[in-house]
Every structure is written in C-alpha cells, then in structure tokens.
Amino acid sequence: MSESGIPEKYKVDHLILLVGGNPLPNAVAGRLLVREGKRVTLAYSAETKDIAIRLRQWFFKCTPDIQAVELEQISTADADNIFGKVSSFISQSERTGLNYTGGTKAMSVHAHRAFQSKKIDPTYLSYLDPRTLCLWFDDKTKCYVGNVPQIQFDLEYDLMALHKSVILDPRHRPERQAMLPQTAIALANAQTLAGFGKRWRKWYGYYDRRNHKRVGNLHPLNIGNGQVDRVTNRHQNWADETTLKAANIPFPPDIDEAMKQELGYPLSQTEFNIGEAYNRASHVSANQPWVEDLCEWFKGQWLEHYTFVCLDALRSSFGFHSILLNINTKYSVKSQYKAFEIDVVAIRGYQLFAFSCSTDPRKSELKKKLFEAFVRARQLGGDEARIALVCTNKIPTILEDEMKSTIDPRIKVFGQDNLATLQDDLADWIRKQLGEEED
C-alpha cells in the first residue's frame, strides 16, 4: 500500500472528476488517485463552471504532482451528451479512471455507463463516501482516507481556497493559542455553582443597549455610548481603549484565585487594572489581544477558549493537524461580503469539525447561532463536516433534539452539565463521527 493509503493499482494516469456543488470530494480524489506527473479532466456543467475553474486553480497551486488539469463541459441531464462526452475522454492508451462522487445523478450514471461500455478495469472507478470517509472502488475494495498525509487540508489554503464565496477577514487572523486557559477552565468548572451565572453577568456588567439608560452606573467594561467607531469595527458597545485601560475592577467571584495566579497578581490583591491585566494576558498569550478582546473574553468568549483547550488536549489522540480559534470570515451575498465568525474549528485530514460557543441563555439565540454555524461549516467542509454547540444551557437535549429533527441528525449540543467533563464528552462524540477506520 502506498503512503497515501491507496494501493498503486488503483491510481491512474488520467482521472475524470464530475464537478458538483461541493469541490471537496474532487480535491481529495485528485490528490489520492492520480499518479505523479499525470493529468485530470474536470467534467462540469454550466452551473458549476466557476467551481471547476477554482478547483483547477487549486490543483495547480496545491497539487504540483498533477501535470495538467483540463476543463470539459457536459450536460447535467442529457444522457446522450453525458455518455458521448465522457466516452471521448477515455483513452485506451493510458490508465483512465472516473471518480463519480460529484455532479448530478444523471452525470454519475451515464459517465459510469460510458466507462463500462469500454470495459475499463473496475479498479479505476471510485466513489468517496462522506459517511465512512472511504474511497469505494467498483471491485468492492474500500480504502479509509479520513486521515492520510496527502490530504491534511488547511482551512485557508485548501477549504476556503476551494470556495470562492468565503474568505478570511484579513483584519482578524485565526488564533492558535487560548487566552487565559487556566482561568477559562476555572470558569467552566464554576458553572454548576448555585447562582454563579447571575453573579458573573452582574460582574462584567452585561446589559443590552435598550437597558443602558435605566440601569444607571454601568460596569467599567461596558460603559460605551453604543457608537461603532472602534478600530476593530466589531460592533461592540465598549468604552474607548483609554478608558478601559484605566479601569480598576474587583476580581470576579468564585474564580478570583485562578485568575490571580494566571495573571501573576498578588493573591492578597482585591482588584485588577484592565490595562495591566491586558499586558499580562498578552504576555501569556501568543496572539497579543486587543484590550477589547480581553473584555470580550470576560463577557463570554472564555467558553470558546475553554473549548479550544479541551480540543487541544485531544489533538494527538485524534490526529487533528489544525485547531483554530475565532475564525472571522466574510461570505459573498449578491457580490457583497458579510461577516460571520466560526468560534472554533478542528481539522483532521479533510474533515472539518466546527464548534459554535455561547453563554447566551436564550434558546432562540442558541438556535440561531447553531444554524449559522451549520450553514458555514457545511459550505466549507461539505457533507463530511460535523457541527456542535457548546453552551451553558441547563437542558441542551431539548435544543439538540429539535435541531437533529429539522437540520442534521449528527448535530450535538453540549450544555452546562457537560462543561466540567467537556474534554471526555467531546472525545466520545468525535470518536463516533470519524467514519470507518482503516483496518
């Protein structure tokens, strides 16, 4: 067996790929099934021309072993057109193969029929199963390809490069290290303490804008005037940076000792200065956070950082080659880009695990956040993508059952009772999502 997990006898000199709405299976098959220095033909329809062009660019840039990538248009439904065109692509002088994962059902059926009519070796015909993460060949052989070196895809240079409609926001690069990880762990463990959530919300002064006028004295973390004029332009309601840096506030309830130790404050001190806390957080974190980022961490992003910590602990056992935090993306809607954030992603091979995180107690908001994460994750990772929500909801099964029945039966919701054991609970769920491991 080759290093890619595919026996050499299944590799071809010329691979025909049927291009559908999701280019990811084409990219995987091209990487694994084409012999070094050989070629690919992308058979696309009028509707998938742009996808084929982008896929061709990706092959040239990211798969240098492939010598040539040709574009050929075929019909989506005309049997004679599909059969005739695909037949013309097949040459008896070279090993020609077909991967029929993409395209319409008609394209798959009649392209397959064209190969059978020329009595092509069944080892050259294949399908990539998103459920088992296996390449199935027509001789009934299957090869698990969920985690092989050739397809350790990168979020930006592979998954996003294949999808023109989604790009990273250049102002905010993904983070690869958690901020205040020990404090995030302490916060997660404190969630089951009686009344902790209420005390925490009171501490960081979280009030929506309609309450600002009647609340009176707001906490220094949230005393802005509601205008969007900050350099990071994230539409938050914080005070200006100078005011924030000068603010002195008590250490938060129930986790004060953990935060003091991680920030290096004297254990006898009763309050900390935001500016000094920012400098200390920057010192212990490689991502050098903005002051506003630290405030956002207090407000609720600690849960994203805690989820990252738990996934990072599982990195080697599950073979995650990339785990990223705070992925700010822009996606195209009618030629205009709109912002969207994916909280945490972990990538294993070509499979994307996306985690949305929220401390918002409202079911409607949790449902909205999970649905948005589902749409973006599937857009980037296709049918192979897996999506979960990590939240502080006390009855997560109600939301999970609703989302499973209406969107995707593989969705998972981790609630308040999961937080103290989140690493183990994540491991149990991920293990069930990995498909069939290679024997």
Side-chain angles (χ1 to χ4, degrees):
M1 183 171 291
S2 71
E3 188 183 82
S4 69
I6 305 297
E8 286 298 324
K9 70 175 184 177
Y10 293 100
K11 295 189 175 184
V12 296
D13 302 322
H14 177 205
L15 179 65
I16 299 169
L17 296 170
L18 304 181
V19 180
N22 176 26
L24 185 59
N26 299 132
V28 173
R31 273 270 179 93
L32 297 178
L33 296 176
V34 181
R35 288 178 164 182
E36 185 175 351
K38 301 305 179 178
R39 65 192 182 102
V40 167
T41 292
L42 300 177
Y44 67 92
S45 64
E47 293 79 8
T48 60
K49 180 178 180 179
D50 288 343
I51 296 173
I53 292 173
R54 197 161 184 85
L55 184 59
R56 182 174 184 262
Q57 293 171 340
W58 178 84
F59 273 125
F60 280 139
K61 184 176 181 179
C62 301
T63 311
D65 288 345
I66 294 178
Q67 186 179 51
V69 182
E70 300 167 3
L71 298 177
E72 296 286 350
Q73 183 170 337
I74 64 175
S75 171
T76 57
D78 186 323
D80 291 338
N81 175 276
I82 299 169
F83 182 88
K85 282 287 190 71
V86 174
S87 294
S88 70
F89 304 154
I90 302 172
S91 171
Q92 298 292 348
S93 63
E94 61 181 349
R95 294 170 68 168
T96 305
L98 170 71
N99 183 271
Y100 50 92
T101 311
T104 63
K105 289 184 179 179
M107 290 168 68
S108 176
V109 168
H110 298 297
H112 197 277
R113 184 165 62 91
F115 270 76
Q116 289 180 320
S117 70
K118 292 183 178 289
K119 295 181 170 53
I120 299 298
D121 191 325
T123 61
Y124 303 158
L125 283 75
S126 62
Y127 170 81
L128 182 61
D129 183 3
R131 182 180 63 84
T132 62
L133 308 182
C134 286
L135 269 170
W136 290 79
F137 297 89
D138 277 20
D139 67 350
K140 299 184 179 180
T141 297
K142 66 176 180 179
C143 294
Y144 180 78
V145 296
N147 193 26
V148 295
Q150 279 73 8
I151 50 170
Q152 289 191 344
F153 281 3
D154 177 84
L155 178 68
E156 181 176 8
Y157 298 108
D158 293 308
L159 298 183
M160 286 187 174
L162 290 167
H163 297 81
K164 184 178 180 180
S165 60
V166 183
I167 63 173
L168 283 177
D169 186 338
R171 298 171 302 173
H172 309 295
R173 309 301 295 179
E175 301 167 28
R176 298 176 184 272
Q177 182 175 336
M179 185 194 303
L180 300 177
Q182 296 306 314
T183 304
I185 292 172
L187 263 171
N189 290 331
Q191 293 303 307
T192 56
L193 298 176
F196 176 79
K198 184 178 180 179
R199 294 196 301 277
W200 180 258
R201 285 190 294 273
K202 183 178 180 181
W203 177 78
Y204 66 60
Y206 172 55
Y207 303 103
D208 57 37
R209 292 183 179 179
R210 66 177 179 272
N211 288 333
H212 277 177
K213 292 182 179 179
R214 64 181 177 83
V215 165
N217 294 325
L218 294 176
H219 194 283
L221 288 183
N222 208 26
I223 59 176
N225 59 12
Q227 295 185 12
V228 182
D229 55 3
R230 296 167 49 255
V231 65
T232 52
N233 195 29
R234 294 188 189 175
H235 304 276
Q236 301 301 331
N237 200 25
W238 304 120
D240 63 274
E241 188 169 302
T242 301
T243 301
L244 287 176
K245 281 188 175 181
N248 290 290
I249 56 178
F251 277 98
D254 301 312
I255 66 157
D256 58 339
E257 186 169 333
M259 182 174 282
K260 286 176 185 178
Q261 290 178 339
E262 190 160 26
L263 288 176
Y265 274 85
L267 293 181
S268 60
Q269 195 164 331
T270 60
E271 63 178 26
F272 68 94
N273 171 264
I274 291 291
E276 187 176 351
Y278 161 76
N279 290 333
R280 292 171 184 265
S282 297
H283 177 70
V284 299
S285 175
N287 61 329
Q288 296 292 315
W290 292 88
V291 174
E292 293 90 342
D293 290 338
L294 183 63
C295 296
E296 279 296 295
W297 189 97
F298 291 140
K299 183 178 178 181
Q301 284 188 357
W302 63 267
L303 185 56
E304 301 169 23
H305 290 254
Y306 174 62
T307 302
F308 178 94
V309 169
C310 293
L311 287 168
D312 195 43
L314 300 173
R315 185 187 296 264
S316 59
S317 58
F318 284 108
F320 290 124
H321 63 270
S322 180
I323 304 176
L324 301 171
L325 181 68
N326 293 334
I327 301 93
N328 291 273
T329 69
K330 297 193 295 183
Y331 63 97
S332 178
V333 178
K334 296 181 179 180
S335 300
Q336 293 185 344
Y337 279 103
K338 296 187 177 182
F340 180 73
E341 182 178 3
I342 304 176
D343 296 327
V344 186
V345 300
I347 306 175
R348 179 182 188 268
Y350 66 98
Q351 187 173 28
L352 177 73
F353 290 82
F355 299 87
S356 184
C357 305
S358 179
T359 58
D360 195 312
R362 295 169 293 179
K363 179 185 173 184
S364 60
E365 290 302 310
L366 294 175
K367 185 176 180 179
K368 177 183 176 182
K369 192 170 174 65
L370 183 54
F371 178 75
E372 289 178 337
F374 171 81
V375 171
R376 297 299 149 224
R378 287 291 294 271
Q379 185 177 12
L380 289 173
D383 292 339
E384 290 85 351
R386 299 293 184 266
I387 300 92
L389 172 70
V390 181
C391 64
T392 55
N393 190 283
K394 294 182 179 180
I395 315 176
T397 52
I398 295 177
L399 176 60
E400 181 179 297
D401 290 344
E402 183 177 340
M403 299 300 279
K404 280 184 173 181
S405 63
T406 57
I407 297 180
D408 189 334
R410 301 166 300 188
I411 277 179
K412 180 66 178 177
V413 179
F414 299 96
Q416 184 185 90
D417 290 342
N418 298 108
L419 294 184
T421 58
L422 185 61
Q423 180 178 321
D424 291 337
D425 294 346
L426 286 172
D428 290 341
W429 177 71
I430 292 169
R431 193 172 291 111
K432 296 175 183 177
Q433 310 305 312
L434 292 181
E436 271 182 42
E437 292 283 0
E438 180 186 17
D439 294 333

